Amino acid sequence: MLNIVIFGAPGSGKGTQSELIIKEFGLDHISTGDVLRAELKAESELGKIANDYITKGQLVPDELIIDMLAKVLDSKKVSKGVIFDGFPRTIPQAEALKKMLNERGTDVTLMINLHVDEEELINRLLERGKRSGRSDDNIDTIKSRLEVYHSQTAPLAEYYIKEGKHHAIEGVGTIEDIFGLIKEQINATING
Ligand code: B4P
């Protein structure tokens, strides 16, 4: 199986590049952000709890996210693999993902780390905010999300470096050019 973790700061293009990777490699997609927004729309208990965190730019607690991910994973049929978009975002989430995949006889194949400078991230998210109606695409929440990213999520790069699965990709440029770099890396991993 080909299991890919797509990683990067808020607005780095994880969701955007996931769509292209799915089309090219025929993978299933799990975006924890999308699942949370669907729960919110459905006005479920989890959605209501998550909304408080999302609006403040904070991470939803690990126990809730890990439990949610296990359920989504179980609902998937046998597939060629999964792209994990926006998960893991903390070390406990990365450890939980490894355990869940190992129990299913598989593991993370590679992690793609999209590098984008802070000014570009803020511009993209403000631009998206004009259309998205998302409660977290405003300047105050964006700043909190970036702080949370640096303190809680960025250290995960080290975890995947130790696992020998970390691949840094320049995330500034056209969407197609960035995808070209990602595709090269995935093919090199599959064939290497
Ligand atoms: P997510 O939904 O994961 O969202 P994101 O990090 O904001 O966006 P992404 O990187 O996918 O950016 P996109 O491609 O859309 O998280 C939202 C919230 O949910 C979190 O803050 C947290 O509270 C919660 N959450 C989610 N997962 C969690 C977890 N595991 N644990 C705890 N909490 C969790 O790109 C952004 C914009 O840039 C788009 O408008 C796009 O069109 C544009 N863009 C993309 N590539 C571009 C390029 N190359 N050039 C110019 N613009 C580009």
Side-chain angles (χ1 to χ4, degrees):
M1 274 174 86
L2 175 62
N3 295 312
I4 301 173
V5 169
I6 187 138
F7 183 87
S12 55
K14 300 183 292 290
T16 305
Q17 294 297 332
S18 290
E19 284 178 27
L20 300 173
I21 298 170
I22 292 156
K23 267 194 211 143
E24 179 80 21
F25 295 95
L27 304 178
D28 277 327
H29 183 207
I30 301 181
S31 157
T32 41
D34 286 351
V35 177
L36 290 171
R37 283 184 288 276
E39 293 282 341
L40 177 61
K41 215 170 157 202
E43 297 182 358
S44 71
E45 207 46 50
L46 172 61
K48 285 180 203 154
I49 298 170
N51 190 40
D52 285 343
Y53 291 95
I54 293 173
T55 309
K56 287 184 200 139
Q58 293 168 2
L59 295 181
V60 176
D62 283 339
E63 321 79 77
L64 292 179
I65 289 284
I66 290 167
D67 189 42
M68 178 183 94
L69 188 97
K71 285 185 188 133
V72 177
L73 211 51
D74 282 338
S75 73
K76 299 265 170 210
K77 300 265 176 289
V78 180
S79 72
K80 287 168 91 174
V82 178
I83 176 146
F84 295 92
D85 167 4
F87 183 97
R89 265 176 154 97
T90 63
I91 301 279
Q93 289 184 19
E95 287 166 347
L97 178 63
K98 189 172 176 60
K99 189 162 171 270
M100 276 187 256
L101 291 177
N102 287 174
E103 281 166 4
R104 290 164 177 80
T106 183
D107 204 345
V108 169
T109 316
L110 77 162
M111 183 264 222
I112 304 276
N113 188 353
L114 292 170
H115 284 211
V116 176
D117 61 87
E118 199 117 331
E119 198 185 332
E120 170 78 8
L121 292 171
I122 294 173
N123 287 339
R124 284 185 191 179
L125 292 173
L126 286 176
E127 200 48 48
R128 183 173 70 184
K130 291 181 192 163
R131 309 178 302 274
S132 68
R134 275 174 55 163
S135 62
D136 56 349
D137 282 346
N138 60 77
I139 191 67
D140 290 339
T141 311
I142 291 167
K143 286 195 173 148
S144 309
R145 289 161 71 193
L146 289 171
E147 276 170 27
V148 167
Y149 170 76
H150 288 300
S151 61
Q152 297 182 50
T153 304
L156 256 186
E158 204 52 48
Y159 175 93
Y160 283 103
I161 289 170
K162 283 195 192 124
E163 293 260 308
K165 292 178 177 165
H166 176 274
H167 300 279
I169 298 278
E170 174 59 51
V172 181
T174 68
I175 290 169
E176 293 72 25
D177 286 349
I178 297 164
F179 178 59
L181 297 174
I182 293 177
K183 199 163 100 176
E184 247 173 56
Q185 187 56 66
I186 296 174
N187 282 326
T189 305
I190 296 173
N191 301 322

